[in-house]
């Protein structure tokens, strides 16, 4: 994809966050559900914040493979916003 200015990337990330909320519901509730499910899977207590950090790590691993992958860059921004919401 073509390069975007910082403001356009942030605007795009906000749009994606709103679309995801329409598709999946309240992000805090969804992160709580994911944390509960991952806690069952791992046998260890997983927090919502840990879920977000793991998702950021996933996106960073993908960016390590292709640092120009626009969707992963936008996703990191979105997850950082969600982490801020949780705190």
């Amino acid at each position: 994809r073509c390069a975007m200015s910082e403001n356009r990337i942030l605007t795009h990330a906000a749009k994606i966050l709103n679309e995801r909320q329409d598709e999946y519901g309240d992000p805090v509730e969804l992160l709580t559900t994911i944390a509960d499910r991952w806690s069952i899977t791992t046998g260890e207590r997983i927090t919502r914040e840990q879920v977000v950090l793991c998702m950021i790590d996933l996106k960073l691993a993908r960016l390590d493979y292709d640092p120009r992958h626009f969707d992963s860059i936008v996703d990191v921004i979105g997850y950082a916003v969600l982490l801020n919401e949780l705190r």
Side-chain angles (χ1 to χ4, degrees):
R1 291 197 174 171
C2 63
M4 286 183 138
S5 71
E6 291 86 355
N7 287 337
R8 288 190 65 204
I9 291 171
L10 294 173
T11 300
H12 181 71
K15 178 182 173 234
I16 296 298
L17 280 171
N18 287 329
E19 288 174 1
R20 295 299 179 262
Q21 184 164 346
D22 290 345
E23 291 175 24
Y24 303 117
D26 179 69
V28 173
E29 289 178 22
L30 180 60
L31 289 167
T32 300
T33 300
I34 294 168
D36 291 344
R37 295 181 62 85
W38 286 9
S39 295
I40 292 167
T41 300
T42 64
E44 302 288 332
R45 179 72 185 119
I46 304 296
T47 67
R48 298 175 303 195
E49 292 83 1
Q50 288 171 316
V51 170
V52 173
L53 292 172
C54 287
M55 295 306 294
I56 290 172
D57 280 339
L58 169 73
K59 299 302 178 171
L60 291 175
R62 289 179 177 173
L63 285 167
D64 189 44
Y65 177 76
D66 181 2
R68 295 167 295 146
H69 192 259
F70 181 75
D71 290 342
S72 291
I73 293 168
V74 171
D75 288 345
V76 168
I77 294 166
Y79 282 117
V81 169
L82 292 177
L83 185 59
N84 185 63
E85 262 188 55
L86 293 174
R87 299 192 187 246

